[in-house]
Amino acid sequence: MWKNNIIISFRNLKKYKALTIINVLGMAVGLAACLLIGLFILDELSYDKDFKDGDRIYRVVLETAETRWAGSPGPLAEGLKIDFPEVEQSTRIMKFPEVDKMLLKSELNGELKQFYETKGYYADSTFFDMFDFEFVAGNPETALNAPNSLVLSASLARKFFGDSDPVNQPLTIGLPFGEFEYTITGIFEDGKSKSHIDANYFLSMENNDIGNAVKRMNNWASNNIFYTYVKLFPNSDDKAFEAKLPEFFDRHGAEDLKAMGGYSKSLLLQPLQDIYLHSGIEYELGIIGNVVTLYVFGSVAIFILLIACINFMNLATARSEKRSKEVGIRKVLGANKVALVRQFLGESLFISILGLFVALLLSFVLMPYFNQLTGKNLDLTLGIFPMISVLLLAVVAGLVAGIYPAFFLSSFTPIKVLKGKFRGNLSGFSLRHVLVVFQFAISACLILMVFVIKNQLNFVQNQDLGFSKEQQLVIPLKSETAVAKYEVLKASLLQNPSIKSVTMASTYPGIESIESMMYYADGKSVADVVNITNAYVGNDFVETLGFQLLEGRSFTEDYSSDLPLMILNESAVKSLGYEVADAVGKKIHYEWRGELNTLEIVGVVKDFNYQSLHTQINPYAFIKENRGGYLIANFAGQNAADVLENAQENWANLNVSEPFVYSFLDQDFQRNYEKEERISTIIISFALLAIFIACLGLYGLTSFMTEQRTKEIGIRKTMGATDWNIVSLLSKDFGKTVLIAILISMPFSIYLSNAWLANFAFKIELQWWYFIGSGVTALLIAMLTVSFQSIKTALMNPVDSLRSE
């Protein structure tokens, strides 16, 4: 029996080659999409899952009335360990504020190697007690115990030392205020396990560069730049522990918070394994994911596979007339309904298994492009779970696609079938239309998302940010030597007629800026403080970056004062209670370590987006002080290569030992939207796949519908119907179906669009023409697909049409 069923199934698939190709190709694309997206989702879900006892590790974060902040005060970790018996261990890591990269130098056998390296973190000696990074050299238990200890990733160790043993070798860290020698005490393997702590190297918190400053950071209300983690003892109640934190924080920090004006803060726990996908708070340690993205990608993959299954259902029921006599004869010969269902399900499973083989081939071919698209390094050959999962998915897809056609075809009554009345117990016609509506509702929804995503990304790229990001050359000044040579370098650069102005800044638009202070205005007290973010800048900063000066003056060499000078944005002025028109000359104050400090406002600039459009415009201050950080040169013309070559020559002429490194501000700023651009490209790619599969099914369905009406078309043409009449007749039913699908898709489209736009503080408004445009696009795609077959049928000779019957 099974052998006979296989032979019959194979003959049917061979007989209808076009439909077999449509079904196999649709199933293959759907399964390949599920496999690729599934690998992406599994990779995202793997973050922080490999640490021993990771389910007992938590990060302690701050919450204020306005926001949640991943950093916490310096004394928090030790206080938690001392006060709570349920805390087994506590530790801190810290990234140096305003320093996104450090200069690392090593000399081995007379060869000097030096590179600017990112992802370097200061860590407590207890860090590797809690986080069991895999060490390939050194002892993790003691790696950070000694002052000026340094632990490198394996890839960074190879970069500096090749195949030599780096342990106990010296390595110099260059910072804006000096160079400091560290000793390498360990090497950890990078790239195997994934974590939100995506480190390249760790420096001991006990050191001779910032160590003393860290020890003085004992205020519970300020210096929230430490990431604090705790590990609870087994069987500890994390909720009960979290409930004790408000009283603990009030007991230790109330006095410091009161000194800052009673600024309200509280502590919250974040499970380690939730940080990467569920955090969404400010001052994160690095780039994190978003669980909503996984839901969206997973939904798109399932929808693509569903569309492929719907194609099979529609095409199987559409050709029911062709198979009705087969069913009738087999029933007359004794076949029961179960046997027929088994045969039709077998055909469906055979299609899905064929699709699986093609899907695996497609996945292997597309994997390099998918990795490039997602920025990951996924591999189909690593682990058996993805393969087993996609095999099970293929079986499920085959059963889902075949279950309705199997019962529909097996329900035919033999007598009616053999008399030519082949209608089954179920209405294939009505359900087919419902399925086509579902297909194109998904397609229309995806098309609208493409409209929204592309328009939002165009909006953020072209939005007036309040400064000029084009034609700005940025050169890091991350060593004491480079900072000391700034004035000489500035003078030499300005000799190039293409360079209009040069300035220095501790930070610049597009990179994270966290240094802030609690200020209050004249006539007010610490009870009226306003949190204002600071940037320390040099002369000509406003002119170089193109900020719009509303009142007062910018920083220049010919103006000085007995007080430190600052320029505020509109938001800062208004938050302090001043008016923009009369703010110049006013004083603002802050208290630090018991001392009152006063600054003078010399200018007010128009509000600007110093960071990406994900965030609101906040109070901001530029303070005149050359602290190093970055040299920014604004140049004219379009020949950036010549400007860059000139800058490199001037750098070399200064005899600065540090390597010449540069970037362009507009490119740095655009990296804030790198994640959104990747997501948009993925969604657009898979949306096109979904539309392609839907069109394949629609083409196959149209082919059968026109074939069933061949005689009718011949008679109509004989009676005088034009080709256009025939095309209109064959297309209008599908046109109505697609229009219904577009209307049904609108509420879901609005919800998904608003959910995605919620990630931006500045965003587009959903316009009516987005819906019209997406609807017309979906309708046009459907009509082109239908019309291709309709026109082919309409152009047939009516004699041939009638002869075919």
Side-chain angles (χ1 to χ4, degrees):
M1 179 62 74
W2 279 106
K3 182 179 178 181
N4 185 52
N5 285 343
I6 291 172
I7 292 172
I8 293 173
S9 297
F10 185 76
R11 285 175 179 172
N12 278 313
L13 296 177
K14 187 178 179 181
K15 182 178 180 181
Y16 302 104
K17 295 185 182 68
L19 293 187
T20 301
I21 291 172
I22 288 173
N23 284 325
V24 171
L25 185 57
M27 196 68 75
V29 172
L31 289 170
C34 287
L35 179 56
L36 292 175
I37 290 179
L39 286 171
F40 175 85
I41 291 174
L42 285 174
D43 184 80
E44 290 285 283
L45 291 172
S46 69
Y47 277 75
D48 295 313
K49 297 297 192 294
D50 293 330
F51 290 121
K52 182 182 178 182
D53 301 324
D55 58 329
R56 295 195 279 125
I57 300 175
Y58 300 83
R59 185 171 70 181
V60 187
V61 302
L62 286 177
E63 183 177 45
T64 68
E66 297 84 17
T67 186
R68 289 185 177 181
W69 188 260
S72 53
L76 177 61
E78 185 179 5
L80 291 169
K81 181 73 167 62
I82 293 172
D83 284 23
F84 293 101
E86 53 262 63
V87 174
E88 180 179 336
Q89 188 57 277
S90 66
T91 195
R92 303 171 301 172
I93 59 174
M94 183 194 78
K95 57 182 178 181
F96 199 105
E98 315 294 354
V99 176
D100 61 329
K101 56 178 72 72
M102 297 182 188
L103 180 63
L104 275 60
K105 298 181 181 181
S106 173
E107 189 169 353
L108 186 66
N109 299 324
E111 181 186 3
L112 176 66
K113 290 185 178 181
Q114 52 182 349
F115 305 98
Y116 282 108
E117 297 293 342
T118 59
K119 302 178 184 176
Y121 306 114
Y122 291 93
D124 281 333
S125 60
T126 57
F127 179 77
F128 292 116
D129 294 339
M130 187 177 299
F131 295 97
D132 57 332
F133 281 75
E134 182 182 343
F135 270 56
V136 295
N139 183 355
E141 295 180 3
T142 60
L144 295 175
N145 285 357
N148 288 63
S149 297
L150 177 66
V151 177
L152 300 180
S153 66
S155 58
L156 192 57
R158 285 190 295 270
K159 186 175 181 179
F160 277 97
F161 300 97
D163 295 329
S164 302
D165 183 9
V167 176
N168 296 323
Q169 293 288 341
L171 196 146
T172 301
I173 304 294
L175 294 170
F177 46 86
E179 293 187 345
F180 306 90
E181 187 171 295
Y182 278 71
T183 301
I184 299 171
T185 56
I187 307 297
F188 66 90
E189 189 64 67
D190 55 332
K192 283 191 175 180
S193 58
K194 299 181 182 300
S195 171
H196 76 286
I197 307 174
D198 184 20
N200 212 6
Y201 54 101
F202 293 99
L203 306 97
S204 59
M205 199 82 76
E206 183 80 22
N207 55 64
N208 65 348
D209 50 270
I210 66 164
N212 290 330
V214 167
K215 290 175 183 176
R216 292 195 301 269
M217 294 180 185
N218 51 14
N219 189 296
W220 287 78
S222 61
N223 295 312
N224 299 306
I225 58 174
F226 299 89
Y227 299 88
T228 301
Y229 298 85
V230 294
K231 181 179 180 181
L232 303 183
F233 279 106
N235 302 319
S236 295
D237 187 339
D238 59 314
K239 297 299 181 185
F241 172 67
E242 187 176 33
K244 300 174 186 177
L245 293 179
E247 186 275 332
F248 161 82
F249 195 50
D250 184 63
R251 176 160 35 91
H252 288 281
E255 187 175 338
D256 290 335
L257 288 168
K258 184 178 180 181
M260 288 182 61
Y263 203 65
S264 176
K265 294 182 181 180
S266 58
L267 300 176
L268 297 174
L269 282 187
Q270 273 189 316
L272 171 68
Q273 296 175 350
D274 286 352
I275 292 174
Y276 181 75
L277 288 176
H278 300 273
S279 181
I281 62 179
E282 292 189 53
Y283 193 52
E284 265 300 346
L285 192 61
I287 297 174
I288 60 170
N290 189 332
V291 71
V292 175
T293 301
L294 303 192
Y295 289 139
V296 171
F297 283 6
S299 300
V300 169
I302 295 300
F303 283 151
I304 290 174
L305 190 58
L306 277 176
I307 290 173
C309 292
I310 289 170
N311 281 350
F312 185 89
M313 293 182 193
N314 280 338
L315 296 175
T317 54
R319 62 191 175 108
S320 56
E321 182 181 6
K322 301 289 184 181
R323 304 198 65 177
S324 58
K325 289 183 180 179
E326 173 198 339
V327 173
I329 291 171
R330 293 190 66 184
K331 280 195 170 184
V332 168
L333 293 175
N336 58 29
K337 187 172 182 176
V338 173
L340 292 170
V341 167
R342 193 160 50 225
Q343 179 196 333
F344 293 132
L345 282 177
E347 290 181 16
S348 174
L349 286 170
F350 188 61
I351 288 285
S352 66
I353 296 302
L354 282 177
L356 175 61
F357 286 117
V358 179
L360 291 174
L361 180 61
L362 278 175
S363 299
F364 275 108
V365 172
L366 295 175
M367 184 57 75
Y369 305 100
F370 188 69
N371 280 333
Q372 186 178 3
L373 199 63
T374 58
K376 291 186 175 292
N377 189 26
L378 305 175
D379 192 343
L380 282 170
T381 61
L382 296 179
I384 196 172
F385 178 72
M387 293 301 179
I388 294 176
S389 298
V390 77
L391 175 61
L392 291 175
L393 189 63
V395 172
V396 171
L399 293 174
V400 170
I403 194 75
Y404 169 67
F407 280 95
F408 176 73
L409 294 172
S410 63
S411 65
F412 294 159
T413 305
I415 296 176
K416 291 182 179 180
V417 165
L418 295 176
K419 287 182 177 180
K421 301 177 181 180
F422 62 92
R423 187 179 300 276
N425 296 328
L426 298 171
S427 177
F429 173 78
S430 60
L431 186 58
R432 276 202 304 275
H433 278 68
V434 170
L435 295 176
V436 171
V437 166
F438 181 73
Q439 276 184 316
F440 275 88
I442 294 172
S443 300
C445 189
L446 292 173
I447 291 171
L448 180 69
M449 286 298 298
V450 170
F451 269 79
V452 171
I453 289 170
K454 295 301 289 183
N455 278 281
Q456 175 63 19
L457 291 180
N458 288 335
F459 172 78
V460 298
Q461 289 169 2
N462 300 314
Q463 175 76 349
D464 180 11
L465 301 172
F467 64 90
S468 175
K469 60 182 171 63
E470 285 76 24
Q471 296 177 301
Q472 305 280 8
L473 175 65
V474 180
I475 302 173
L477 304 175
K478 296 297 183 182
S479 71
E480 190 176 30
T481 306
V483 173
K485 295 289 183 74
Y486 163 70
E487 292 295 344
V488 179
L489 181 58
K490 176 180 178 179
S492 59
L493 287 173
L494 287 174
Q495 292 177 11
N496 184 340
S498 295
I499 295 180
K500 298 191 291 186
S501 62
V502 177
T503 190
M504 176 192 280
S506 61
T507 182
Y508 62 92
I511 65 173
E512 189 173 46
S513 179
I514 66 159
E515 187 164 334
S516 64
M517 190 62 68
M518 309 300 290
Y519 295 97
Y520 58 91
D522 263 344
K524 295 186 179 181
S525 67
V526 291
D528 306 299
V529 292
V530 176
N531 189 24
I532 300 178
T533 304
N534 301 325
Y536 296 91
V537 305
N539 291 324
D540 307 315
F541 179 78
V542 170
E543 291 80 5
T544 303
L545 273 297
F547 291 99
Q548 184 179 343
L549 194 64
L550 300 178
E551 299 290 340
R553 59 183 298 137
S554 63
F555 299 139
T556 57
E557 292 183 3
D558 59 357
Y559 182 82
S560 61
S561 171
D562 294 334
L563 295 174
L565 306 179
M566 70 180 348
I567 296 173
L568 301 179
N569 69 347
E570 294 173 278
S571 295
V573 171
K574 293 172 183 176
S575 297
L576 290 164
Y578 291 135
E579 295 294 330
V580 171
D582 60 5
V584 174
K586 294 287 198 300
K587 310 293 189 298
I588 68 171
H589 315 278
Y590 70 93
E591 295 184 7
W592 181 247
R593 292 176 182 165
E595 294 183 6
L596 178 64
N597 298 270
T598 302
L599 298 93
E600 178 185 349
I601 302 172
V602 297
V604 180
V605 294
K606 187 178 179 180
D607 275 343
F608 51 86
N609 293 95
Y610 209 78
Q611 292 180 281
S612 73
L613 297 184
H614 293 103
T615 58
Q616 295 285 354
I617 293 175
N618 295 315
Y620 215 99
F622 301 133
I623 300 173
K624 184 177 179 180
E625 184 178 339
N626 284 355
R627 285 195 175 184
Y630 304 91
L631 179 149
I632 305 170
N634 176 231
F635 60 92
Q638 299 300 318
N639 200 342
D642 289 345
V643 172
L644 191 58
E645 184 179 353
N646 176 259
Q648 193 164 3
E649 288 176 1
N650 285 308
W651 183 273
N653 292 337
L654 292 175
N655 295 318
V656 179
S657 62
E658 288 77 22
F660 178 76
V661 178
Y662 71 93
S663 64
F664 293 101
L665 195 151
D666 56 346
Q667 296 174 1
D668 291 342
F669 201 91
Q670 194 58 33
R671 290 191 187 98
N672 288 297
Y673 309 114
E674 195 173 61
K675 184 170 69 174
E676 282 74 18
E677 287 177 344
R678 288 186 186 279
I679 291 171
S680 69
T681 305
I682 294 170
I683 290 177
I684 289 169
S685 301
F686 284 104
L688 293 175
L689 282 179
I691 294 165
F692 170 72
I693 298 172
C695 289
L696 273 181
L698 192 58
Y699 174 78
L701 194 58
T702 306
S703 299
F704 264 103
M705 294 297 99
T706 53
E707 184 181 344
Q708 287 180 339
R709 303 179 72 174
T710 301
K711 183 176 181 181
E712 174 193 345
I713 292 167
I715 295 172
R716 285 180 179 275
K717 293 197 73 173
T718 303
M719 300 297 293
T722 64
D723 292 341
W724 174 250
N725 294 143
I726 300 301
V727 171
S728 176
L729 173 71
L730 295 173
S731 303
K732 66 180 182 180
D733 285 343
F734 286 110
K736 292 176 184 176
T737 303
V738 173
L739 281 173
I740 293 170
I742 292 168
L743 292 173
I744 290 173
S745 72
M746 283 187 180
F748 301 100
S749 301
I750 293 171
Y751 172 78
L752 291 174
S753 298
N754 285 327
W756 189 77
L757 290 172
N759 293 311
F760 295 86
F762 297 87
K763 54 198 172 190
I764 59 173
E765 296 291 334
L766 293 180
Q767 304 292 333
W768 61 268
W769 64 266
Y770 293 171
F771 300 96
I772 299 296
S774 62
V776 169
T777 303
L779 184 61
L780 186 61
I781 292 171
M783 288 299 96
L784 286 173
T785 305
V786 172
S787 298
F788 180 81
Q789 184 63 33
S790 301
I791 292 170
K792 180 181 175 183
T793 305
L795 294 176
M796 287 179 63
N797 190 319
V799 175
D800 295 333
S801 300
L802 294 172
R803 186 184 296 138
S804 71
E805 292 291 325

